[in-house]
Amino acid sequence: MNAAQNISTRQRIERILLFFPFQLLFLHFKKNLFLLFFWFLLFGYTLNYLAARYGVAYQFLFPEYMGKNSAISFGMVGFALGGFILAFNLYTYILHGFRFPFIATLNRPFQKFSVNNFIIPVTFVVTYIVCSVRFQFREELLESSAIVINMIGFVIGLILFLIASLLYFRFTNKNLKSYELQGGGEAEGADAEPIKTNLHRRRTWSQRRSGSREWRTETYLVSIRRIALARSSKHYNPDLLNKVFSQNHLNASLFELALLVSFILLGSLGDNQYFVLPAAASVMLFFTMMLMFISALHSWIRGWTLTVFFLVFFLINYSMPEFSWMNIQNKAYGLNYDVEPAPYTEAYIRSFNGNDSLAKADFDNTIEILQNWRKKNQTSALQRGEKPKLVIINTSGGGSRSALWTMTSLSYADSVLGGGLLDQTALISGSSGGMVGAAYLRELHLKEQQGTCESIWDETYPKRMGKDLLNPVIFSIATNDFFIRYKTFEDGGHTYTKDRAWAFEKQLNSNTDQVLNKRLSEYVDPEKEALIPMMVMAPTIMNDGRRLLISAQPMSYLTQNKPVNNVEYTTLSEDVEYLRLFENQSPLNLRFTSALRMNATFPYVLPSVTLPSEPPIDVMDAGMRDNFGMKTTMQFLYTFRNWINSNTSGVVIIQVRDVDKGFKKETRGRTLFNKITAPLGSVYGNITRTQDYNNDQMFLYLSAWFDNEISVVPFQLVTPDEKKVSLSWHLTSKEKQVIANSTSSNEFQSSVEDLEKLLGK
């Protein structure tokens, strides 16, 4: 009867329960919650449970490199995941390896430790492959052969990093036998003479932990195919075991240092598109750096790690106002921050908000534009024996989905009408992605008139608008924005810091073939000649909730809110005109993409923009106050109501919507978490719906002061089976297809028919 048959049932159970991989898994849940938090994020992104609304999972499940999704991009993600798995193993080995002294007796101890620490990494790899395959098939509509090639690339990238790291540790790490050959050996007991080496003349960190309880282990994985019994280490000299751990830790530290240097170097090369990694790889690299930093910190201060971490955080937080190098702010590119800042005070704002002469001059300037608009549109209208309809476009925010839908719907409608939709449009307002799409279409319309664009209906342009904008932003966040931002660039003689905002504008210009790479000043004359519609952006001032009105034309009349006739009331100055507030900071030199970015600064994705005022003001997404640009439209209509009544046959407002206006009853679970988050979540989640209520009320009162006809034509993005397109700067192939197909929906076709009748086309 062999030994396996002689063991008792209790021993069998112990060998299962005290199996080293199971003990490591239990250890993570007991003592490594910080480490598990990173795995929680990775699993959440991969399973599309975290940030699902913003499409973060898409960057993980279908990574992009240099504008393409391929086996190379998957290989990079696999390679980065290999780095994170290594960091996971190093973190656990350095912090908790001493609890399992038997591993120091093994050949290649760190390699054996990593093999036994497989449960979480292997579970994630399997989860990732399953989710990615399903996503590529269902959402990206790829053939099976392409999916297989992509996943092979992922696996190869993962294996390459793990092989490289294991080879490093195999040839640099020493084991117990190496030190025994140098004169060490087995000790008869705890009183054995310690090893006299330079490394161990002092008590090491592992010796100081000798009082910590060791975890009993019965069995462990020798390899993926073999299980062995763990032998006792009590008969070995403790100093000899500690020497093995210390030497392994030293090599691990050197490897971590090499990775850290590579990471910093990678961030410094972010200007080159070849070094802009897939977003998922960037996130994994960032997590890897965080683990390495925490493990190094924990090695020195152990139980004080969390306390020191928070102390350093608060120290940096309260030191930022005192040290400019720590308080790096994002700026609007083109504005002059070197001159005396503009005074942002109530008195200064009222000095031009309540200035009747300025308002009159700006009013006359816009009347001239409207007259030019009328000359351009009156011929076709007179042929029908009527005055032209004045078209205003309002477009909603919503990242790339809104940008692509705005461009797709408007260009389609223009083609059905036989051209001329933008010629008949006098004003465009809105927020975020919708304004990006409208700005691109408007620029193409200008180039069409200049003879450098054959047709704005070309399908090439929507494809460009649908390209990814999120990947370089996440890469910059991971490699640059969370560390010291030392890279700068010059624009018009002024120096600015490179960050994710710079990466966003650079990618937007690249996607649109540089046609938006212009200054605000370059739109002054085309708008004045009515070659293109006027465009008003209104980002929200975070300091006090006001709106900053940005336009190439002076529009101080939009900021007037004096009571009229028999009303006596003290009003607040709600709107601030950009051109007047920053008249000494070269406001027209502003990059047009910076104006679009300020109007589309979704919290955390893009940094808020600090403007050159005193005190400094920060601006963010216009959608926080006016997602559809309706407030700007109403102000414009009220100001020019007399001219519009006399010179047009009415107004048509095209409202481009990326979300349904219809009422939807949403039920929330009655869990404790939902009860806690409901107040904040309900307010934030209903911002767009609340603005719809306000807009409907404004239309209700419109008839009281506007004597002409006003028709609102909705261009609603219709998604099948209640499937929502993600609110992100990245779209899947299926989402792009959904947006393209939405022009065939009954709702949209009915809206286009209504528009044809209203415009007499």
Side-chain angles (χ1 to χ4, degrees):
M1 186 176 293
N2 56 40
Q5 295 174 320
N6 288 330
I7 64 174
S8 65
T9 302
R10 178 180 177 180
Q11 288 176 312
R12 291 179 185 275
I13 295 175
E14 285 182 343
R15 290 183 180 183
I16 294 174
L17 295 180
L18 299 180
F19 185 40
F20 193 27
F22 294 163
Q23 286 185 295
L24 286 175
L25 181 64
F26 180 71
L27 172 75
H28 292 314
F29 283 97
K30 183 178 181 180
K31 295 181 177 294
N32 271 355
L33 292 180
F34 178 80
L35 181 60
L36 290 182
F37 175 72
F38 291 103
W39 282 114
F40 169 77
L41 292 177
L42 290 179
F43 273 103
Y45 295 146
T46 301
L47 293 169
N48 203 23
Y49 289 152
L50 292 178
R53 182 183 179 190
Y54 308 114
V56 173
Y58 305 163
Q59 297 290 334
F60 278 79
L61 303 178
F62 198 53
E64 182 174 303
Y65 174 65
M66 291 185 64
K68 296 180 180 179
N69 309 93
S70 64
I72 295 177
S73 59
F74 275 91
M76 290 182 170
V77 172
F79 196 81
L81 177 60
F84 179 74
I85 292 174
L86 174 67
F88 166 69
N89 289 327
L90 288 175
Y91 181 99
T92 311
Y93 184 68
I94 290 175
L95 268 64
H96 302 291
F98 71 94
R99 303 181 191 278
F100 309 95
F102 84 93
I103 60 175
T105 69
L106 305 177
N107 185 31
R108 298 190 291 275
F110 177 68
Q111 181 176 330
K112 295 291 195 303
F113 184 90
S114 299
V115 170
N116 284 270
N117 201 24
F118 78 93
I119 295 179
I120 295 177
V122 169
T123 302
F124 177 77
V125 170
V126 172
T127 301
Y128 178 86
I129 291 175
V130 171
C131 291
S132 181
V133 168
R134 183 174 56 188
F135 180 82
Q136 292 177 67
F137 182 76
R138 294 180 180 178
E139 302 297 328
E140 295 297 342
L141 312 176
L142 294 187
E143 298 290 339
S144 299
S145 57
I147 297 175
V148 170
I149 292 173
N150 287 339
M151 300 323 299
I152 289 175
F154 168 76
V155 173
I156 290 176
L158 175 63
I159 293 175
L160 282 178
F161 189 94
L162 294 179
I163 289 176
S165 60
L166 289 177
L167 285 175
Y168 167 81
F169 287 109
R170 179 171 184 174
F171 290 108
T172 57
N173 278 3
K174 294 184 178 181
N175 53 36
L176 194 62
K177 290 183 179 180
S178 302
Y179 287 110
E180 288 176 346
L181 294 175
Q182 295 176 5
E186 297 183 357
E188 296 299 328
D191 296 329
E193 183 71 16
I195 303 298
K196 300 294 185 180
T197 66
N198 290 331
L199 187 62
H200 287 274
R201 283 178 180 169
R202 298 179 181 179
R203 290 170 62 83
T204 66
W205 68 271
S206 56
Q207 287 174 301
R208 291 196 296 269
R209 291 182 173 185
S210 59
S212 300
R213 183 175 68 86
E214 296 179 1
W215 289 37
R216 179 184 164 199
T217 303
E218 285 291 325
T219 53
Y220 72 98
L221 278 176
V222 178
S223 66
I224 59 175
R225 295 179 297 177
R226 181 184 164 208
I227 298 176
L229 294 174
R231 56 178 175 169
S232 174
S233 62
K234 292 182 179 180
H235 58 291
Y236 285 98
N237 187 321
D239 277 347
L240 190 61
L241 296 177
N242 291 332
K243 195 171 183 180
V244 173
F245 277 118
S246 297
Q247 194 272 341
N248 285 190
H249 295 162
L250 176 62
N251 288 332
S253 300
L254 293 175
F255 195 83
E256 288 179 341
L257 180 62
L259 286 179
L260 179 61
V261 171
S262 301
F263 188 73
I264 295 174
L265 181 62
L266 184 65
S268 68
L269 297 173
D271 296 355
N272 192 317
Q273 61 175 342
Y274 292 100
F275 293 95
V276 178
L277 302 183
S282 303
V283 171
M284 291 176 183
L285 283 176
F286 176 72
F287 288 175
T288 300
M289 294 302 106
M290 290 294 293
L291 284 183
M292 291 180 177
F293 171 75
I294 297 298
S295 66
L297 190 64
H298 201 286
S299 295
W300 286 96
I301 58 179
R302 295 183 292 157
W304 289 91
T305 301
L306 193 59
T307 303
V308 171
F309 181 83
F310 280 110
L311 285 175
V312 171
F313 174 80
F314 286 115
L315 179 64
I316 293 175
N317 179 62
Y318 289 107
S319 299
M320 286 182 69
E322 305 297 328
F323 301 100
S324 59
W325 62 273
M326 297 177 64
N327 189 20
I328 299 177
Q329 301 167 331
N330 179 261
K331 299 178 179 179
Y333 309 141
L335 269 182
N336 188 352
Y337 287 75
D338 300 325
V339 298
E340 184 178 352
Y344 189 72
T345 63
E346 186 69 23
Y348 186 67
I349 293 172
R350 285 190 178 277
S351 69
F352 47 81
N353 277 18
N355 192 316
D356 292 336
S357 61
L358 280 181
K360 179 62 167 59
D362 296 351
F363 177 88
D364 292 341
N365 179 73
T366 304
I367 287 293
E368 183 180 346
I369 295 174
L370 291 174
Q371 295 287 12
N372 290 333
W373 171 90
R374 189 178 188 279
K375 291 177 183 177
K376 185 171 65 173
N377 289 281
Q378 67 181 354
T379 302
S380 58
L382 288 175
Q383 290 175 352
R384 301 189 302 271
E386 59 184 26
K387 298 174 184 177
K389 291 274 190 181
L390 186 141
V391 177
I392 295 177
I393 295 173
N394 291 156
T395 178
S396 69
S400 288
R401 77 181 180 201
S402 187
L404 182 55
W405 172 239
T406 298
M407 186 169 186
T408 300
S409 60
L410 291 177
S411 60
Y412 179 90
D414 185 69
S415 66
V416 171
L417 296 172
L421 176 59
L422 289 181
D423 284 331
Q424 208 159 336
T425 302
L427 178 70
I428 300 175
S429 64
S431 67
S432 193
M435 288 293 274
V436 174
Y440 185 37
L441 189 66
R442 185 182 76 145
E443 176 61 31
L444 293 174
H445 177 60
L446 177 61
K447 290 190 173 300
E448 189 178 46
Q449 296 175 80
Q450 295 171 340
T452 56
C453 170
E454 291 186 5
S455 172
I456 64 173
W457 309 335
D458 194 312
E459 63 180 13
T460 301
Y461 302 123
K463 288 181 179 179
R464 286 187 171 276
M465 193 77 274
K467 286 186 175 181
D468 173 74
L469 284 168
L470 188 59
N471 196 72
V473 171
I474 295 180
F475 176 80
S476 181
I477 292 174
T479 61
N480 181 65
D481 289 20
F482 275 109
F483 300 94
I484 298 176
R485 305 175 195 176
Y486 58 91
K487 297 169 62 180
T488 60
F489 71 100
E490 287 193 4
D491 183 88
H494 307 298
T495 301
Y496 308 95
T497 302
K498 289 183 178 180
D499 56 11
R500 61 188 184 277
W502 172 83
F504 176 85
E505 289 192 33
K506 180 183 177 184
Q507 189 64 46
L508 176 60
N509 283 323
S510 175
N511 289 355
T512 56
D513 200 26
Q514 304 297 323
V515 299
L516 293 175
N517 190 13
K518 304 173 76 169
R519 306 285 176 181
L520 196 60
S521 59
E522 295 180 68
Y523 288 108
V524 174
D525 290 339
E527 286 186 5
K528 197 160 188 176
E529 297 168 9
L531 296 176
I532 54 176
M534 293 177 285
M535 180 172 277
V536 180
M537 288 161 276
T540 305
I541 298 176
M542 297 171 60
N543 307 56
D544 51 25
R546 288 186 170 108
R547 300 191 312 150
L548 183 68
L549 303 183
I550 303 176
S551 174
Q553 305 299 325
M555 293 184 172
S556 61
Y557 49 78
L558 292 181
T559 68
Q560 308 300 309
N561 61 344
K562 295 179 181 179
V564 295
N565 300 330
N566 60 337
V567 178
E568 293 185 8
Y569 183 69
T570 302
T571 60
L572 293 174
S573 298
E574 177 188 2
D575 298 313
V576 181
E577 189 190 9
Y578 163 81
L579 289 180
R580 292 277 159 45
L581 179 62
F582 300 106
E583 58 184 353
N584 297 321
Q585 283 75 31
S586 306
L588 286 173
N589 195 51
L590 176 72
R591 280 190 180 183
F592 187 63
T593 49
S594 288
L596 291 173
R597 172 170 59 87
M598 284 192 281
N599 203 55
T601 301
F602 194 84
Y604 307 114
V605 178
L606 292 174
S608 60
V609 180
T610 302
L611 296 173
S613 62
E614 182 56 46
I617 60 174
D618 296 285
V619 297
M620 62 177 293
D621 203 303
M624 299 300 294
R625 288 291 318 277
D626 188 14
N627 190 52
F628 297 97
M630 187 58 67
K631 186 175 179 62
T632 301
T633 296
M634 290 295 180
Q635 291 170 311
F636 185 85
L637 291 176
Y638 178 78
T639 303
F640 297 99
R641 61 191 182 279
N642 294 329
W643 188 94
I644 294 173
N645 288 334
S646 301
N647 294 274
T648 75
S649 60
V651 175
V652 176
I653 299 176
I654 299 176
Q655 190 177 77
V656 185
R657 304 181 58 94
D658 69 325
V659 290
D660 189 7
K661 185 179 178 181
F663 178 77
K664 292 182 179 179
K665 183 179 179 180
E666 296 183 4
T667 58
R668 291 179 174 269
R670 301 183 63 84
T671 64
L672 178 61
F673 181 77
N674 284 331
K675 287 180 178 294
I676 294 173
T677 59
L680 182 61
S682 296
V683 172
Y684 175 75
N686 286 315
I687 285 180
T688 300
R689 188 169 298 168
T690 301
Q691 292 183 14
D692 275 330
Y693 296 148
N694 293 334
N695 292 341
D696 288 349
Q697 192 173 43
M698 284 194 287
F699 275 115
L700 178 65
Y701 298 132
L702 182 61
S703 59
W705 51 263
F706 195 80
D707 297 330
N708 214 326
E709 293 182 1
I710 290 187
S711 302
V712 179
V713 180
F715 281 4
Q716 170 67 49
L717 174 62
V718 178
T719 57
D721 303 323
E722 300 297 322
K723 177 179 174 56
K724 294 182 179 180
V725 179
S726 60
L727 176 61
S728 174
W729 289 112
H730 177 89
L731 298 171
T732 67
S733 296
K734 190 170 184 178
E735 287 177 333
K736 294 174 187 177
Q737 188 180 80
V738 166
I739 293 173
N741 293 340
S742 191
T743 57
S744 302
S745 67
N746 293 332
E747 294 90 335
F748 181 76
Q749 289 295 325
S750 176
S751 293
V752 173
E753 290 175 6
D754 291 342
L755 186 62
E756 284 185 281
K757 295 175 183 177
L758 290 168
L759 299 184
K761 298 292 186 179

